[in-house]
Amino acid sequence: MYSFIQLLLSEIISCFSGQCLSQYIMTIVMIPLLFLMVTVGYVFFVPVKNRRPEFSSMKGFFHFVVDVAIYAIPMLIVFALVHMQTTAATLLGIPANQNYARYIMILEGNAVSLIQEIATPLLTYVSGFFYLLMFPFLMVFTFLLLVYLQRHKAIQEFVVAFILIYMLAFPFYVLFPVHVTGYTLSGVSPLLYNLSPLIAEGVRIVDPELNNCFPSLHAALSVMAMIMVLHNVKSRRYQAFAVINTATILFTILYLGIHWLSDLIAGTLLAIVCCMIAFRYSEQFFAIYRWIVAMIAWKLKGPALPCVGCNRRINFDSVMQCDYCGTEYNIKSRVGSLLKRFRKRFSS
């Protein structure tokens, strides 16, 4: 037991003093920057008339944190599972150096290299800023804004589209890896990775082999966030920001020597398809999850959760129904009727 504790402590110390710290230093730096940007975004993009007065109290802030956690948990689970692609590829016997970029080269040639003809140091730094910080800001702030405004249907659509994008992209990353243009095309320089070794190390945390190109998640997720903003947020200021930011991100993924034109097009189409599915079926997808959350809240005797029907906070009991608007959270009857119809169809 003593030797195990000693080994564990030595690993922790080495992690914070050496390789692990250098590997995650970019993430450590980006988190407070992102927090600062979200705070500025709140002041700049949320009109005073739409600000929730109860948010300034500890109780109101706690409710906001609970709401964020409820909707963020399924996204974080899918995010973690998808980034186990190296393990999945190993289990399937796929070589680590597998690269299907040659087929994309046949399709589009060296077209991406034309964009780097306008390369300047200033443009490279600005593009890196948008790729590394403005992209996560668009994703995080849009999600937090929808939660803050208590737009539950819109949040469900955002979460469902996010999960679908990752799940549909995952098989391509495992079975058909495509390496970045900066390390494939002779006329394209890996501008992003040349900015700093810390940036290169940070990117490799989520993409160890730099082969998660087709389809582009930066394109898919930023276009998805833009569509959600245009569809669900009434602020013209934030709508304009989302459009400009997304267009800039789409430019940077090509300019910085990361993605191919095919990646951008495929990512954009993926976002549109996933948004269409989310707009139509998010309620069905979320019915079971809402029931699970309500059951957990009931068993734990709290905390009060927001009703998707009337936005009032309710404490669930065995009835699983909102006392104010009558929204039902118990899906046992719905599942029972589906099973009954299923048995009837296959028994006849």
Side-chain angles (χ1 to χ4, degrees):
M1 183 65 181
Y2 174 76
S3 60
F4 172 76
I5 296 175
Q6 190 178 30
L7 178 62
L8 181 62
L9 288 175
S10 65
E11 286 293 327
I12 293 173
I13 294 171
S14 64
C15 183
F16 280 94
S17 62
Q19 184 178 358
C20 286
L21 181 60
S22 65
Q23 185 181 23
Y24 288 94
I25 189 67
M26 191 181 78
T27 304
I28 296 171
V29 171
M30 283 180 61
I31 289 176
L33 284 176
L34 190 58
F35 177 80
L36 177 62
M37 292 171 66
V38 168
T39 304
V40 174
Y42 171 78
V43 175
F44 192 73
F45 291 120
V46 180
V48 177
K49 63 179 181 180
N50 291 336
R51 294 180 184 176
R52 293 163 52 186
E54 74 276 11
F55 186 71
S56 57
S57 67
M58 286 299 297
K59 184 178 180 181
F61 184 74
F62 172 74
H63 286 162
F64 173 73
V65 171
V66 170
D67 297 347
V68 169
I70 290 172
Y71 289 108
I73 285 173
M75 292 194 294
L76 292 174
I77 291 174
V78 171
F79 179 84
L81 290 175
V82 169
H83 283 89
M84 294 174 62
Q85 68 181 76
T86 303
T87 304
T90 302
L91 291 174
L92 293 173
I94 299 174
N97 60 350
Q98 189 75 276
N99 183 12
Y100 286 86
R102 58 188 180 275
Y103 297 108
I104 294 183
M105 289 178 62
I106 296 173
L107 180 66
E108 62 182 69
N110 205 32
V112 177
S113 63
L114 299 176
I115 298 176
Q116 286 198 353
E117 291 183 359
I118 61 172
T120 64
L122 177 61
L123 182 58
T124 301
Y125 280 109
V126 172
S127 298
F129 173 77
F130 271 85
Y131 185 89
L132 295 171
L133 281 172
M134 294 306 289
F135 166 72
F137 171 78
L138 175 65
M139 299 301 303
V140 172
F141 186 77
T142 299
F143 171 71
L144 294 178
L145 180 64
L146 293 176
V147 176
Y148 178 79
L149 297 176
Q150 296 184 313
R151 301 289 303 278
H152 296 289
K153 185 175 184 297
I155 305 167
Q156 291 175 174
E157 293 169 351
F158 183 98
V159 173
V160 169
F162 180 95
I163 292 174
L164 285 175
I165 286 172
Y166 265 95
M167 296 303 293
L168 293 175
F170 181 63
F172 288 94
Y173 295 159
V174 174
L175 301 175
F176 306 104
V178 175
H179 286 246
V180 299
T181 55
Y183 293 129
T184 304
L185 294 174
S186 58
V188 178
S189 175
L191 297 177
L192 177 68
Y193 313 116
N194 290 342
L195 282 176
S196 168
L198 293 178
I199 292 176
E201 286 289 334
V203 173
R204 287 184 183 275
I205 294 175
V206 295
D207 186 7
E209 304 297 331
L210 300 181
N211 60 2
N212 288 355
C213 280
F214 185 90
S216 167
L217 281 181
H218 267 69
L221 293 173
S222 58
V223 170
M224 180 274 288
M226 180 190 71
I227 293 174
M228 291 295 168
V229 171
L230 295 176
H231 191 261
N232 294 305
V233 179
K234 295 181 180 179
S235 170
R236 293 292 181 87
R237 180 182 295 181
Y238 192 58
Q239 286 181 347
F241 168 81
V243 171
I244 295 172
N245 193 22
T246 300
T248 306
I249 291 169
L250 295 181
F251 166 77
T252 63
I253 64 177
L254 300 177
Y255 170 80
L256 291 172
I258 304 168
H259 286 285
W260 307 73
L261 286 172
S262 306
D263 307 336
L264 186 151
I265 296 171
T268 302
L269 292 176
L270 178 62
I272 294 172
V273 170
C274 290
C275 284
M276 291 174 63
I277 296 173
F279 290 151
R280 186 164 184 177
Y281 298 107
S282 63
E283 185 64 27
Q284 290 86 331
F285 288 147
F286 250 84
I288 296 176
Y289 180 69
R290 283 204 309 264
W291 173 72
I292 294 173
V293 172
M295 285 289 292
I296 294 174
W298 170 43
K299 295 296 184 182
L300 296 178
K301 301 186 183 304
L305 302 180
C307 173
V308 296
C310 62
N311 283 336
R312 299 192 185 189
R313 306 200 80 84
I314 55 178
N315 290 298
F316 288 99
D317 53 23
S318 58
V319 179
M320 292 291 156
Q321 186 176 7
C322 178
D323 297 331
Y324 300 100
C325 67
T327 300
E328 293 187 359
Y329 291 82
N330 193 339
I331 63 167
K332 288 183 179 179
S333 58
R334 188 183 305 179
V335 173
S337 63
L338 287 174
L339 292 174
K340 186 176 180 180
R341 286 185 349 195
F342 181 81
R343 286 195 297 265
K344 184 178 179 181
R345 173 175 295 182
F346 285 92
S347 60
S348 59

